[in-house]
Amino acid sequence: MYYIDEELKQNILSEAPSDEPARQLFFIEECRKILSERAEELKRHLTCCVNTFGCQMNAKDSEKLLGILTQIGYVPVETEDADFVLYNTCTVREHANVRVYGRLGVLKHSKDKNPDMIIALCGCMMQEEQVVEKIRKSYRHVNIIFGTHNVYMLAELLFDYLCTGINRTEILKGTDRIVEELPSERKYPFKCGINIMYGCNNFCSYCIVPYVRGRERSRRREDILREIRNVAAQGVIEVMLLGQNVNSYEYDFPGLLEEVCAIDGIKRVRFMTSHPKDLSDDLIRVVRDNPKIARHIHLPLQSGSSRILKLMNRKYTKEDYLDLAFRIRQNIPGIALTTDIIVGFPGESEEDFIETMDVVEQVRFDSAFTFIYSKRSGTAAAKMADQVPKDVADERFGRLLALCQSCSKEQTLKYQGTTGEVLVEGTNAKDPSYLSGRLSNNSIVHFKGNSGLIGKMAQVRLDEAKGFYYTGTLL
Ligand code: SAH
Ligand code: SF4
Ligand code: F3S
């Protein structure tokens, strides 16, 4: 294996700078030396595979992690028979956790075949003590574990493991520090996510995110704008500003959006997610007046019942939500409204559920993510009485899904026959003579075209609405 002797390790450690990001750049270089020797012995490249679960925040973190790994010398591959396999985990619902455990079982067999394989876990699941305990006890083939607050430390942890061969866990409970300026390997050359804030202070009673992502921290405006100018200079034309609740960005979110739109080369600006309680008229005006801002607002409803919303600690009522949704639709022509909805929250009665259906019927969302409530230990809702039986929740879920699907279909039909600007994202997996991309309102469009258009804006006629997507013709 790779392991170097203790004295050499101590010598290297004594030279490591203590400030960031210099320290991590130092460890990247040290890992690179160790692994390039190993690659020579094996007479092949060492490969890595980063697998991402969960939301856009995790996707963004994975780009940072992949950036570090490629600098170290790993060649990224899609399959999990790689020399370094990293799962960036999500714990928002129980299902996400179950999937990770299942796949860790499979990885054990791959590792038996490749003794060079290193397995690492990070992300939101790792911020839960009982999860880490279980993994250290029952999944000993996992070599490196870290959390959401120390993503930037990957090279340092890997260096330690390469030196000692001893499994390493390093989780920070929280942080007030934001380490930037490390390499990042973007999934797409033409679009990327940009963190504008980290963490969440809202403590919606069902949600684990504030516990695993920590308190809200807004990045400084100059830092955000500098990062976007940099990626724009490298060819990025679409950015998505990321935060659990972008409307509570500390230094004026609408103003930030305007400044981002003014950056040379940026053609489209998205943002995610908007909490209804904080969405201002100023934001509505800025979206309306800036054609570069995508015609899409993701506005999680969660429930249509004011009584349940109160128990959820969402801080708005059914009427507040409807009023906001109508104001958005009235003021911003062509805007798509999408949402998240939970069914089966503790105490949800049939009447409460009917209120949710009523909001969907009135707002007619362009698209909706629907979830069955999942009990997350440590959250306020986990202790509430009246957990809804599974069969009742399943039945409601079915009704809600059918309604949401018919609303999506109806909304896409509205634009059938019109022309729209599509950012072409890639070729179609099923038929490579087709390209796929997204409209400003986030609808997906498939049309025939040459792969030279990938990463560019194209004018496309929307011939046929197919429910969630269109088939179109390049103009
Ligand atoms: N910050 C975002 C949401 C992040 S989590 C926001 O507030 O909109 C994404 C979605 O997962 C949430 O909107 C919610 O609908 C769903 N979700 C969160 N916790 C859940 C739970 N315990 N059970 C089921 N769905 C949940
Ligand atoms: Fe979770 Fe609520 Fe924060 Fe969204 S706003 S991440 S749902 S606590
Ligand atoms: Fe999941 Fe963490 Fe995002 S729990 S939804 S990956 S913030």
Side-chain angles (χ1 to χ4, degrees):
M1 284 293 287
Y2 324 93
Y3 318 132
I4 61 177
D5 69 46
E6 187 60 27
E7 197 183 325
L8 184 56
K9 178 188 160 190
Q10 290 308 329
N11 281 346
I12 296 173
L13 279 180
S14 68
E15 285 167 22
S18 56
D19 51 328
E20 299 291 3
R23 185 174 174 85
Q24 298 311 316
L25 294 172
F26 172 89
F27 284 115
I28 286 174
E29 187 51 30
E30 292 305 321
C31 289
R32 208 184 53 73
K33 285 186 211 154
I34 299 173
L35 288 170
S36 70
E37 262 177 42
R38 181 65 185 156
E40 258 172 48
E41 281 166 30
L42 293 170
K43 299 192 174 49
R44 62 175 180 86
H45 294 301
L46 294 177
T47 56
C48 71
C49 175
V50 175
N51 238 317
T52 312
F53 300 81
C55 67
Q56 303 284 341
M57 309 282 164
N58 264 16
K60 176 71 186 183
D61 283 345
S62 287
E63 293 189 349
K64 298 178 186 173
L65 292 160
L66 198 57
I68 294 170
L69 291 171
T70 50
Q71 291 275 307
I72 286 173
Y74 282 111
V75 177
V77 292
E78 297 291 319
T79 51
E80 292 187 356
D81 52 4
D83 297 294
F84 190 100
V85 177
L86 173 62
Y87 287 169
N88 190 3
T89 62
C90 169
T91 185
V92 78
R93 287 170 289 276
E94 183 62 29
H95 177 66
N97 296 39
V98 174
R99 272 174 65 203
V100 168
Y101 291 125
R103 290 172 69 157
L104 277 179
V106 178
L107 272 190
K108 173 117 183 39
H109 297 291
S110 315
K111 189 162 175 154
D112 290 341
K113 284 188 221 130
N114 175 9
D116 274 72
M117 188 174 193
I118 298 172
I119 300 174
L121 292 177
C122 68
C124 295
M125 245 175 104
M126 301 306 126
Q127 293 295 138
E128 295 180 276
E129 265 170 45
Q130 73 281 14
V131 167
V132 173
E133 242 168 66
K134 172 168 171 170
I135 288 169
R136 294 183 51 168
K137 206 162 127 227
S138 312
Y139 297 83
R140 293 184 185 206
H141 55 298
V142 173
N143 307 114
I144 301 173
I145 301 177
F146 56 106
T148 57
H149 300 297
N150 54 353
V151 160
Y152 67 90
M153 270 165 102
L154 172 59
E156 182 168 354
L157 299 173
L158 177 59
F159 173 76
D160 187 82
Y161 179 74
L162 289 176
C163 291
T164 62
I166 298 169
N167 290 350
R168 176 78 194 267
T169 301
E170 181 86 32
I171 312 279
L172 309 181
K173 291 260 185 240
T175 184
D176 46 14
R177 114 183 249 223
I178 299 178
V179 176
E180 287 167 347
E181 313 290 330
L182 277 168
S184 182
E185 184 75 18
R186 280 185 270 107
K187 186 167 176 200
Y188 300 96
F190 50 86
K191 68 165 188 178
C192 71
I194 302 284
N195 298 116
I196 67 165
M197 56 204 297
Y198 302 94
C200 182
N201 287 351
N202 290 306
F203 289 96
C204 301
S205 62
Y206 50 80
C207 184
I208 200 161
V209 171
Y211 302 91
V212 296
R213 285 274 170 178
R215 292 296 67 69
E216 210 169 274
R217 286 145 284 148
S218 291
R219 276 179 79 191
R220 290 187 315 191
R221 221 157 136 143
E222 327 61 286
D223 294 344
I224 296 167
L225 294 170
R226 190 181 339 107
E227 182 179 352
I228 300 177
R229 274 188 226 107
N230 278 341
V231 295
Q234 293 162 17
V236 165
I237 61 174
E238 178 181 296
V239 289
M240 184 185 275
L241 308 184
L242 300 174
Q244 294 297 353
N245 175 11
V246 291
N247 296 310
S248 69
Y249 176 66
E250 224 180 308
Y251 315 110
D252 177 20
F253 182 60
L256 176 72
L257 270 177
E258 284 179 317
E259 282 189 84
V260 174
C261 288
I263 292 175
D264 265 353
I266 295 298
K267 296 191 175 156
R268 201 185 264 171
V269 182
R270 301 185 177 280
F271 54 88
M272 216 28 160
T273 293
S274 288
H275 194 305
K277 77 179 165 67
D278 297 314
L279 198 147
S280 65
D281 286 335
D282 211 22
L283 179 73
I284 296 178
R285 182 186 55 76
V286 167
V287 174
R288 182 195 66 198
D289 294 345
N290 279 280
K292 281 189 186 178
I293 301 177
R295 303 293 93 180
H296 174 212
I297 295 182
H298 186 63
L299 193 67
L301 167 67
Q302 312 302 3
S303 168
S305 153
S306 297
R307 191 181 75 83
I308 294 291
L309 285 168
K310 191 156 176 50
L311 290 171
M312 285 179 162
N313 193 29
R314 288 291 286 181
K315 304 198 165 71
Y316 53 86
T317 62
K318 176 186 184 187
E319 290 68 33
D320 296 334
Y321 188 94
L322 284 172
D323 176 63
L324 176 61
F326 292 142
R327 265 189 293 136
I328 293 172
R329 285 234 200 261
Q330 259 163 21
N331 283 285
I332 316 173
I335 195 84
L337 272 181
T338 62
T339 201
D340 294 344
I341 301 170
I342 299 175
V343 299
F345 182 84
E348 183 189 75
S349 65
E350 178 64 19
E351 289 70 37
D352 293 315
F353 176 67
I354 297 291
E355 301 276 0
T356 300
M357 295 286 275
D358 182 46
V359 175
V360 176
E361 263 162 19
Q362 293 196 50
V363 179
R364 315 206 75 77
F365 294 104
D366 293 77
S367 142
F369 295 100
T370 48
F371 306 107
I372 290 180
Y373 168 75
S374 168
K375 184 169 165 178
R376 307 315 288 130
S377 59
T379 63
K383 296 175 213 87
M384 290 180 186
D386 297 333
Q387 302 277 333
V388 174
K390 187 178 177 305
D391 56 329
V392 175
D394 283 347
E395 192 273 336
R396 287 180 193 159
F397 183 82
R399 274 189 281 160
L400 178 64
L401 189 64
L403 176 61
C404 290
Q405 283 173 346
S406 85
C407 290
S408 297
K409 207 164 185 176
E410 175 191 306
Q411 294 293 359
T412 43
L413 265 174
K414 273 206 226 160
Y415 302 104
Q416 182 170 292
T418 66
T419 296
E421 195 174 39
V422 173
L423 171 56
V424 185
E425 298 190 349
T427 52
N428 194 291
K430 287 192 203 115
D431 180 350
S433 71
Y434 274 81
L435 298 173
S436 303
R438 278 175 197 272
L439 296 167
S440 171
N441 74 5
N442 213 36
S443 293
I444 294 171
V445 188
H446 304 296
F447 59 99
K448 258 197 176 350
N450 187 296
S451 61
L453 279 173
I454 293 172
K456 304 206 166 63
M457 293 286 190
Q459 290 294 323
V460 178
R461 193 181 59 229
L462 309 175
D463 298 323
E464 210 183 332
K466 300 267 193 181
F468 292 106
Y469 64 92
Y470 296 94
T471 51
T473 310
L474 181 65
L475 297 176

